[in-house]
Amino acid sequence: MLTLPVEEWIGNAAAVVSGAWGAVTRRAAQSGYSRTAIYQHAERVVQAVASEQASGISYEDLWAEKERLKAENEALWQAWSETEDLSESKQRELASAGSAMGLSLTQIVVLLAIVLPSRMVPSRATVGRWVQQSAQQSRGILEVLDRACQGLVLVWCLDEIFFHREPILMGVEPISLAWLAAQRGPDRRGESWCKVIEAWPNLEHVIADGGQGLERGVKLANATRRQAQEPEAEPPAPITMGLDVFHTQREVERVLQRLWNRVERQIESAVKADAKLEQAKRRGQDPRGVAGHAGRAWRKAERLFDEAVQAQEAVEQITEALGWFDASGHLYGRERAQAQLDEASRKLQGESWSKAKRMLKDARTLSHLARLHEQLRSAVPEPMLREALIHVWYLSRLMRQTEGADHVRLQEVVVLEQVFCGRLCPDWREGYMKVDELWRQAVRASSAVEGVNSVVRMHQGRHRQVSQEMLDLKRLYWNCRVFREGKRKGRSPYELLGLKLPTSDWWQLLQMDPKELEQELLTQ
């Protein structure tokens, strides 16, 4: 550190470097420094000037680096002090969130060991008790939240998964992906499903696979509604049930793939028969028996190939009929779609298609079309205007998916269709908004519950046992977590469902008293 003024250093150096004979002696007498000190000062000044003019790191850079390292050191000490002060509440939150995300207790302890000093790392048993307490608290909170969601859930996707051969009855709202049912056992019979369904009095439509327990559960729930109605009141609207299009398409594609596999195996057998025929000819053997076998193999391969091609065309026809629009962009009606399914079913030959045919003939397979048409008629009573608005919606969606010349062409067609709608009704935009809203809520597959099932199965792989309380904890965390991508990005399932919570933090919500939470929700 400098203890002398800069002028003293420079003056001493000048006397040594450029002074005349006797300058150092005179400088020593004037400044009070010894001749040796003056020569040392001159040497240091020369070194400083040479270092400044060299290509190395400058003084300013060294000073900036020193300040950066100082700030980094302070930040590290601050982080360490915060780690030292990590409260038990924060540790409980980390453990509960980790368990809800699917981590095992051992994995949670490993993560805590990273951020905590070794003497403060909780044991696996302690973490287990924390998670168990949070899981027990989540049950009371979920009971309140489920009651608050009853008026918001109109459509439900249902399915069951198995944990160690014990069924878990799952229910997910498809638009928001809100996970609203995770009932562990005792079985999957209709009576068990009825208890799950009847807890949602405003439920209108259910989408599920063709399970007999599910079907019976919906029937029992409808019977319970009829029995609970007042004697002179209007009969309640029954819960309708749609057969999941996903399972139907998967069954059809599974049989088709097996058929193509048979074609490939038969062609390989025919090629091998041809090779044996050529080998017999080269050896001078009688080829008639081998030639007959090769001919039969190729005829069978051709027959299977023709059958597979016909089945492929039928499957494409089925896939189109199970959708919303035909190739020309017109919305399918139930009768026309069923006629197309029946026509395609007649092309499917063999016992392997029996299950797929039963599913295609089931009245629940096209219930999504019937439900949508009923909603559209209520929203836009005028038939011609309704058809025009549907066609505008279809062309607008198609336009957003195209680029270049096709996009421009479709844009022109959309403008013409809008002009036509304006002539039919000056307030056509209001009807279009209703049509658009109905399309956003239209559901024909139980993909939502299948997606949640896949998440739960990953959790199951890390837990030896998943209790009902643990399912409740996972369900609460899932419904409060914010989606990071996709069309639901930036919002949680509860928020998408329309439920306004006093806090968006799931841990704060978990710490609330259920009665106070219910009172706040009722106030809102």
Side-chain angles (χ1 to χ4, degrees):
M1 179 181 291
L2 292 175
T3 58
L4 298 177
V6 176
E7 293 80 2
E8 294 286 341
W9 287 81
I10 296 175
N12 293 342
V16 175
V17 175
S18 61
W21 184 86
V24 175
T25 302
R26 290 191 295 271
R27 181 63 183 174
Q30 293 174 357
S31 63
Y33 297 109
S34 66
R35 291 167 54 86
T36 303
I38 290 176
Y39 279 111
Q40 290 176 352
H41 292 171
E43 183 180 357
R44 292 182 181 180
V45 170
V46 170
Q47 289 178 354
V49 173
S51 175
E52 182 66 24
Q53 294 178 350
S55 59
I57 301 177
S58 65
Y59 175 81
E60 287 79 7
D61 293 339
L62 288 173
W63 185 264
E65 179 68 12
K66 178 247 185 187
E67 292 296 327
R68 186 189 65 81
L69 293 175
K70 181 180 178 182
E72 182 178 347
N73 188 40
E74 292 177 355
L76 290 173
W77 278 109
Q78 179 65 24
W80 176 255
S81 64
E82 292 176 358
T83 302
E84 286 280 356
D85 297 335
L86 188 63
S87 63
E88 181 178 318
S89 175
K90 280 294 182 182
Q91 296 178 40
R92 286 173 176 265
E93 181 180 358
L94 191 151
S96 301
S99 183
M101 294 170 65
L103 298 180
S104 65
L105 297 180
T106 302
Q107 291 171 327
I108 295 172
V109 172
V110 171
L111 292 177
L112 287 170
I114 295 175
V115 299
L116 291 174
S118 57
R119 59 183 175 82
M120 297 181 61
V121 178
S123 65
R124 187 178 183 278
T126 301
V127 172
R129 288 194 295 271
W130 290 349
V131 173
Q132 183 64 24
Q133 290 174 3
S134 297
Q136 292 173 352
Q137 290 175 345
S138 64
R139 163 151 289 197
I141 298 296
L142 277 178
E143 289 177 355
V144 175
L145 295 177
D146 286 346
R147 286 196 295 270
C149 293
Q150 286 179 347
L152 305 174
V153 178
L154 305 179
V155 181
W156 227 9
C157 295
L158 302 180
D159 196 11
E160 62 264 342
I161 59 176
F162 290 87
F163 283 4
H164 303 292
R165 298 184 180 181
E166 185 173 4
I168 307 296
L169 310 184
M170 303 283 290
V172 176
E173 202 281 328
I175 307 302
S176 63
L177 282 186
W179 183 10
L180 300 173
Q183 177 62 47
R184 185 180 178 93
D187 50 51
R188 52 173 178 163
R189 296 186 301 171
E191 290 75 9
S192 299
W193 271 115
C194 178
K195 292 180 181 179
V196 174
I197 296 172
E198 67 183 8
W200 300 87
N202 290 354
L203 189 63
E204 298 177 357
H205 187 64
V206 164
I207 305 173
D209 57 16
Q212 296 181 356
L214 269 169
E215 183 180 3
R216 176 171 168 76
V218 173
K219 292 180 179 179
L220 291 175
N222 283 328
T224 303
R225 283 190 179 184
R226 290 193 296 269
Q227 293 174 1
Q229 77 174 70
E230 298 294 333
E232 298 180 357
E234 263 184 55
I239 302 172
T240 58
M241 183 176 181
L243 195 62
D244 178 35
V245 173
F246 167 78
H247 287 87
T248 304
Q249 290 181 334
R250 187 177 65 173
E251 174 63 21
V252 171
E253 292 171 358
R254 182 184 66 84
V255 180
L256 179 63
Q257 185 60 46
R258 288 171 56 186
L259 183 56
W260 279 114
N261 291 339
R262 286 183 59 195
V263 172
E264 292 179 2
R265 290 194 298 269
Q266 186 58 38
I267 291 176
E268 290 176 359
S269 299
V271 170
K272 291 179 180 179
D274 278 349
K276 291 182 179 180
L277 177 60
E278 293 297 327
Q279 184 180 22
K281 289 180 179 180
R282 287 195 303 269
R283 293 179 178 179
Q285 299 174 352
D286 186 2
R288 287 176 294 181
V290 181
H293 176 68
R296 289 191 296 272
W298 277 113
R299 286 192 293 272
K300 183 177 180 181
E302 291 175 359
R303 178 176 57 81
L304 288 176
F305 182 80
D306 292 339
E307 182 180 344
V309 170
Q310 184 178 2
Q312 181 75 49
E313 295 175 354
V315 168
E316 293 175 359
Q317 191 175 358
I318 290 170
T319 302
E320 182 181 339
L322 291 177
W324 298 108
F325 294 93
D326 60 13
S328 61
H330 292 91
L331 180 63
Y332 270 112
R334 180 164 191 163
E335 294 76 11
R336 187 161 68 94
Q338 187 61 58
Q340 186 168 327
L341 292 178
D342 294 340
E343 180 184 353
S345 298
R346 287 191 289 269
K347 300 178 183 178
L348 304 177
Q349 305 297 327
E351 292 295 327
S352 58
W353 294 100
S354 57
K355 180 180 178 180
K357 287 182 176 180
R358 287 198 304 270
M359 298 173 75
L360 294 175
K361 291 181 180 179
D362 196 314
R364 298 170 297 172
T365 299
L366 297 176
S367 63
H368 60 279
L369 284 175
R371 175 177 168 81
L372 180 60
H373 275 283
E374 182 180 353
Q375 293 174 333
L376 288 171
R377 283 193 295 268
S378 299
V380 186
E382 176 60 34
M384 186 175 295
L385 178 62
R386 182 171 64 249
E387 293 295 328
L389 292 176
I390 293 172
H391 197 51
V392 170
W393 186 91
Y394 171 79
L395 292 175
S396 300
R397 186 188 65 168
L398 191 62
M399 181 183 65
R400 290 191 294 268
Q401 299 172 355
T402 57
E403 297 178 354
D406 292 338
H407 179 82
V408 176
R409 180 179 58 83
L410 284 173
Q411 191 174 15
E412 294 174 352
V413 175
V414 169
V415 171
L416 292 176
E417 290 288 341
Q418 290 177 348
V419 171
F420 177 69
C421 292
R423 293 182 177 180
L424 290 176
C425 178
D427 298 331
W428 66 273
R429 293 186 182 277
E430 182 180 353
Y432 180 81
M433 292 178 64
K434 294 179 180 179
V435 170
D436 181 67
E437 183 66 22
L438 289 174
W439 275 110
R440 292 178 184 275
Q441 299 178 359
V443 182
R444 64 189 182 99
S446 62
S447 306
V449 70
E450 295 293 342
V452 176
N453 285 351
S454 64
V455 174
V456 177
R457 289 190 183 98
M458 289 191 296
H459 293 191
Q460 181 188 10
R462 300 190 186 101
H463 293 271
R464 293 181 180 178
Q465 183 179 5
V466 182
S467 63
Q468 181 62 58
E469 290 80 8
M470 181 60 65
L471 286 171
D472 293 339
L473 181 65
K474 293 178 183 294
R475 188 157 72 90
L476 178 62
Y477 177 80
W478 170 272
N479 289 334
C480 293
R481 62 182 286 273
V482 176
F483 292 104
R484 295 185 177 180
E485 55 186 359
K487 63 182 181 180
R488 302 176 179 88
K489 181 178 179 180
R491 304 176 71 184
S492 67
Y494 274 147
E495 187 179 358
L496 290 166
L497 188 62
L499 182 63
K500 296 182 180 180
L501 298 174
T503 175
S504 58
D505 189 330
W506 84 282
W507 181 251
Q508 295 181 10
L509 196 66
L510 185 62
Q511 307 309 312
M512 295 183 66
D513 182 80
K515 294 182 179 179
E516 294 180 0
L517 175 61
E518 187 169 20
Q519 185 63 35
E520 288 197 30
L521 293 175
L522 288 174
T523 303
Q524 293 178 2

